[in-house]
Amino acid sequence: CSIDCLPNDCLECDKGWKGFRIEGKLDFSLVGILSQITGILAEAQIGIYAVSTYNTDYIFTKEEHFQRALEMLKLYGYSINTTKPVIIRDTSAGNRSTALIENLLKIWEKSVWATHAFLSKEDIRELKPFVLTSLEEIPRLYILTDSNGVSLGFAGMKENKLEMLFLDPDWRGCGYGRQMMEYLFSNDHLTFVDVNEQNPLAAGFYRHMGFEEYDRNEYDGQGKERPIIKMKIQEDKTR
């Protein structure tokens, strides 16, 4: 976790690491990718800490060795992408292209399958038309794209409330959710958000971003018995 996420009762911490992600989704049948990279860095006397997830790898080095690690990988033919994704604001509610809506709907469905374990296949099918309408009509839609214009996620705002925030699960854990939230704090009037009580990871994320619970509903917007936590930003939160 990042340094500012450390619990107060932490007894020991090894700080000063910086990391990079192997881009793309790596199939389990692929072999030797991590060993090639670690071999190059070992030859350069650069110590690493590697973390493998279900679809890619992250490699961390001490901050003072990070830039040299990237330079070594470049020498061996690796492409380094340090371009931060950009956030595009779309206010053309009711006039968004079919291609855009379909693309964002795919991201929503992919994200929900990865994060909303409490929803059944039938639940997701029933929610899809509501999400489609929201994507078409929400007043302010923010789209996170990479340097090639590929959508990585999106957020929707109505008045001062975040109505939706979804990321392509292939890009979770890269700090893009936080980037989107900080953008909305700075460029919009983000104050409120609702989150499913059965989605503790999302609730924890919003608490970390400075939101606190002020109310609770037993039913969601479709009248289903899926409790909703209503949250608002802490007034004294430093962003």
Side-chain angles (χ1 to χ4, degrees), residues 136-192:
E136 292 172 339
E137 299 180 356
I138 199 160
R140 303 187 301 283
L141 183 64
Y142 297 89
I143 305 162
L144 183 72
T145 69
D146 67 11
S147 56
N148 297 315
V150 177
S151 299
L152 307 179
F154 64 90
M157 289 282 297
K158 182 178 181 180
E159 297 178 352
N160 59 351
K161 182 180 178 184
L162 179 65
E163 296 286 351
M164 55 177 71
L165 173 61
F166 293 95
L167 293 176
D168 186 320
D170 288 344
W171 296 98
R172 287 178 63 209
C174 298
Y176 296 154
R178 183 185 184 93
Q179 180 181 336
M180 179 69 83
M181 294 294 289
E182 290 177 345
Y183 181 91
L184 296 177
F185 284 138
S186 299
N187 297 277
D188 212 326
H189 303 289
L190 174 54
T191 307
F192 298 96

Side-chain angles (χ1 to χ4, degrees), residues 32-166:
I33 295 175
L34 184 59
S35 65
Q36 290 173 12
I37 293 175
T38 56
I40 292 169
L41 299 182
E43 187 175 342
Q45 300 296 304
I46 298 174
I48 70 159
Y49 175 63
V51 178
S52 295
T53 69
Y54 75 100
N55 64 356
T56 192
D57 298 304
Y58 297 83
I59 298 175
F60 297 86
T61 74
K62 284 294 188 175
E63 286 182 312
E64 59 266 27
H65 302 310
F66 183 73
Q67 195 58 43
R68 188 161 67 94
L70 296 185
E71 293 300 327
M72 288 299 300
L73 292 172
K74 285 181 183 178
L75 286 175
Y76 280 82
Y78 285 90
S79 175
I80 309 297
N81 180 9
T82 57
T83 304
K84 289 188 69 174
V86 297
I87 297 172
I88 301 171
R89 176 172 172 169
D90 184 343
T91 57
S92 55
N95 194 35
R96 293 168 183 139
S97 71
T98 301
L100 172 65
I101 297 300
E102 289 180 350
N103 186 28
L104 298 185
L105 194 61
K106 288 178 182 177
I107 291 176
W108 169 82
E109 189 166 8
K110 190 176 178 182
S111 177
V112 167
W113 276 112
T115 60
H116 290 54
F118 59 94
L119 294 178
S120 67
K121 185 176 181 179
E122 181 64 21
D123 290 332
I124 295 173
R125 187 188 67 80
E126 290 179 355
L127 285 169
K128 204 168 182 177
F130 293 100
V131 178
L132 176 62
T133 300
S134 294
L135 286 170
E136 292 172 339
E137 299 180 356
I138 199 160
R140 303 187 301 283
L141 183 64
Y142 297 89
I143 305 162
L144 183 72
T145 69
D146 67 11
S147 56
N148 297 315
V150 177
S151 299
L152 307 179
F154 64 90
M157 289 282 297
K158 182 178 181 180
E159 297 178 352
N160 59 351
K161 182 180 178 184
L162 179 65
E163 296 286 351
M164 55 177 71
L165 173 61
F166 293 95

